Amino acid sequence: MVKIQDLLHRRTDLSTFLVHLSRDGGPGHSARENLISILAAGQITAGNPLGPARELEPVLEGTGVTQRVVCLTETPLEHVWMMLEQIEGRQVQFAPYGLATTKVAARVAGANPVWYTDMTKYGRTWPLSYMNDLVEQACARATVDGELRPTLLANEPFLRIAPYFETMGPTNGPGLNKEFWWEREWRMVGDYHLGNPKRWMALLAPEADHESLRADIAEIDADPGWAKRPILDPYWGLERMLAELAEVNPDYIGPFTSR
């Protein structure tokens, strides 16, 4: 008799970790700078509103209820590099900077897996239709004298879980499909407070930038524990990552001598 935990630890297609990747955000806001800002602020700020009720975000502003989320992926660490490729039909381009935490730490913080709903031609339009109905019904109940009342809308239970839904299937673009369920996305509604740096297994950055990045992190007004966290290159293989996490002397890493 074995425990399910013991079995799942040997499933190489299931990751124990969740990764948040940063991206460039315009002039003066590179992915690298955004990562440093995250560490300095002690939180990942929720970005775009997502889910079937995302269009209601302007109405919800100031109510304490939001459709804005922080996104993570449970892609195995040795496959994170795939998230950095330029993929046809994708609107977001990530950079090789970010953070990795465990699923347990993320669950304690309040993150949850995304619920994907099929909207392909194979008769699976009903989940999306029902979700849209729930949004419309919530708006109808929150409308008084022809005016949508933010406070009433914020009290609608469905809007608390709507950000966790995502669709997969055809998009409005010609021949394009929104098939990113393979990312196994998790979401945190609202800002993600980082807490103790030890809740995060590692930082992510290109190998050539590790020394410089660590020095820059040590200079910011943040928990000094961040400068001590391991830094992994997303393009490394799993064995190279393990060597870094185990703090193996760099001279002894790899199949060949360095001298």
Side-chain angles (χ1 to χ4, degrees):
M1 186 70 68
V2 297
K3 294 181 179 180
I4 185 64
Q5 293 92 329
D6 297 329
L7 294 178
L8 296 183
H9 277 304
R10 303 189 63 158
R11 284 279 301 273
T12 57
D13 61 320
L14 297 177
S15 178
T16 303
F17 308 105
L18 295 177
V19 171
H20 173 78
L21 293 170
S22 59
R23 50 181 170 153
D24 296 333
H29 296 282
S30 67
R32 184 184 192 275
E33 291 168 327
N34 287 336
L35 174 59
I36 293 176
S37 295
I38 287 171
L39 302 182
Q43 69 176 30
I44 307 172
T45 302
N48 295 326
L50 296 176
R54 60 187 177 278
E55 301 296 336
L56 296 175
E57 181 61 26
V59 181
L60 293 168
E61 289 287 350
T63 65
V65 175
T66 184
Q67 305 300 294
R68 297 185 184 277
V69 300
V70 171
C71 300
L72 306 102
T73 175
E74 65 170 275
T75 302
L77 289 179
E78 67 270 32
H79 299 314
V80 170
W81 66 271
M82 296 182 183
M83 305 285 293
L84 308 176
E85 298 299 288
Q86 294 186 0
I87 302 173
E88 181 182 7
R90 195 175 192 180
Q91 298 178 343
V92 175
Q93 182 61 48
F94 291 109
Y97 290 90
L99 305 96
T101 188
T102 68
K103 286 182 181 177
V104 173
R107 292 168 76 171
V108 170
N112 197 78
V114 163
W115 303 314
Y116 292 99
T117 61
D118 192 348
M119 60 176 188
T120 65
K121 64 181 181 180
Y122 301 107
R124 301 288 178 82
T125 57
W126 61 267
L128 180 59
S129 176
Y130 287 161
M131 285 191 299
N132 290 336
D133 287 345
L134 289 171
V135 173
E136 291 179 7
Q137 292 166 14
C139 289
R141 286 189 293 268
T143 299
V144 178
D145 297 330
E147 181 182 350
L148 185 57
R149 304 295 177 88
T151 303
L152 294 178
L153 187 63
N155 287 331
E156 287 292 327
F158 182 66
L159 297 191
R160 303 277 183 164
I161 63 172
Y164 296 111
F165 286 93
E166 189 53 80
T167 56
M168 57 183 185
T171 68
N172 293 328
L176 297 180
N177 285 323
K178 189 177 183 180
E179 293 286 4
F180 293 115
W181 47 265
W182 58 271
E183 295 182 6
R184 294 174 178 170
E185 184 182 354
W186 287 49
R187 289 177 183 169
M188 175 80 168
V189 177
D191 300 334
Y192 193 135
H193 299 284
L194 302 182
N196 190 317
K198 290 186 177 180
R199 292 184 183 178
W200 296 81
M201 186 193 69
L203 305 179
L204 302 176
E207 182 176 6
D209 192 27
H210 286 188
E211 184 176 348
S212 176
L213 179 64
R214 193 178 297 281
D216 288 346
I217 291 173
E219 292 295 323
I220 63 176
D221 184 17
D223 190 314
W226 288 115
K228 300 177 182 178
R229 301 313 297 150
I231 305 179
L232 307 178
D233 187 328
Y235 285 98
W236 281 347
L238 180 59
E239 291 189 4
R240 178 65 181 85
M241 290 183 178
L242 291 175
E244 186 71 21
L245 292 172
E247 299 182 341
V248 174
N249 187 318
D251 289 338
Y252 298 100
I253 295 176
F256 304 110
T257 59
S258 59
R259 299 178 183 178

